[in-house]
Amino acid sequence: MESTDERKHLRDILKHLILEPSGFTPEHAANGLHSIMRGEASDAQMGGFLTALKLRGVDKEPKMIAALAREMLNNALVPHLETDEKTRDQFGIVVDIVGTGGDGWNTFNISTTSALVAAAAGLQ
């Protein structure tokens, strides 16, 4: 992976993805996501990047998905879970089910269902 100083701006990565898709690598994808996660990209650039990734079929390329997942993990926040009563180890497995509980369109809410399944499996 390139150092922070060597990372390209999302604009350049997007241009590469569109104009030279055969040379677009997992490292390019990770660098693009890095720009987004660090707040260095405009809304238009983010939308263009994500749309171009989908149109290119990145969701069918395991190496691309792995590079994007690694970049997300590298930028993940680790929550402080210690209290006066419990240490981090006493909390056990911690899971975050992301969701708002509804989108207002009466669609099936997978995050709520995921939370119920996780609880039924014994997660607290």
Side-chain angles (χ1 to χ4, degrees):
M1 185 64 67
E2 298 172 356
S3 73
T4 304
D5 293 337
E6 295 172 343
R7 289 183 187 268
K8 293 182 180 178
H9 190 276
L10 184 58
R11 177 187 60 243
D12 299 322
I13 294 167
L14 182 55
K15 189 184 296 185
H16 188 116
L17 175 58
I18 293 169
L19 299 177
E20 301 174 50
S22 63
F24 192 78
T25 66
E27 290 74 26
H28 289 118
N31 284 336
L33 185 56
H34 178 84
S35 290
I36 290 172
M37 296 190 81
R38 296 295 180 172
E40 301 167 355
S42 70
D43 289 348
Q45 289 169 336
M46 288 187 279
F49 180 68
L50 296 173
T51 300
L53 287 176
K54 176 63 178 167
L55 292 175
R56 185 175 179 276
V58 165
D59 56 328
K60 295 173 181 62
E61 296 182 34
K63 289 182 180 180
M64 291 285 188
I65 298 297
L68 292 166
R70 265 191 308 279
E71 187 62 37
M72 284 188 278
L73 287 171
N74 288 339
N75 286 279
L77 300 176
V78 178
H80 179 73
L81 297 175
E82 294 185 10
T83 66
D84 290 339
E85 294 82 32
K86 283 185 163 181
T87 66
R88 168 62 187 100
D89 291 336
Q90 291 172 318
F91 276 97
I93 297 173
V94 178
V95 179
D96 181 16
I97 302 292
V98 178
T100 62
D103 62 3
W105 292 85
N106 295 323
T107 59
F108 181 76
N109 190 298
I110 193 67
S111 61
T112 301
T113 304
S114 299
L116 294 171
V117 170
L123 290 174
Q124 299 178 1

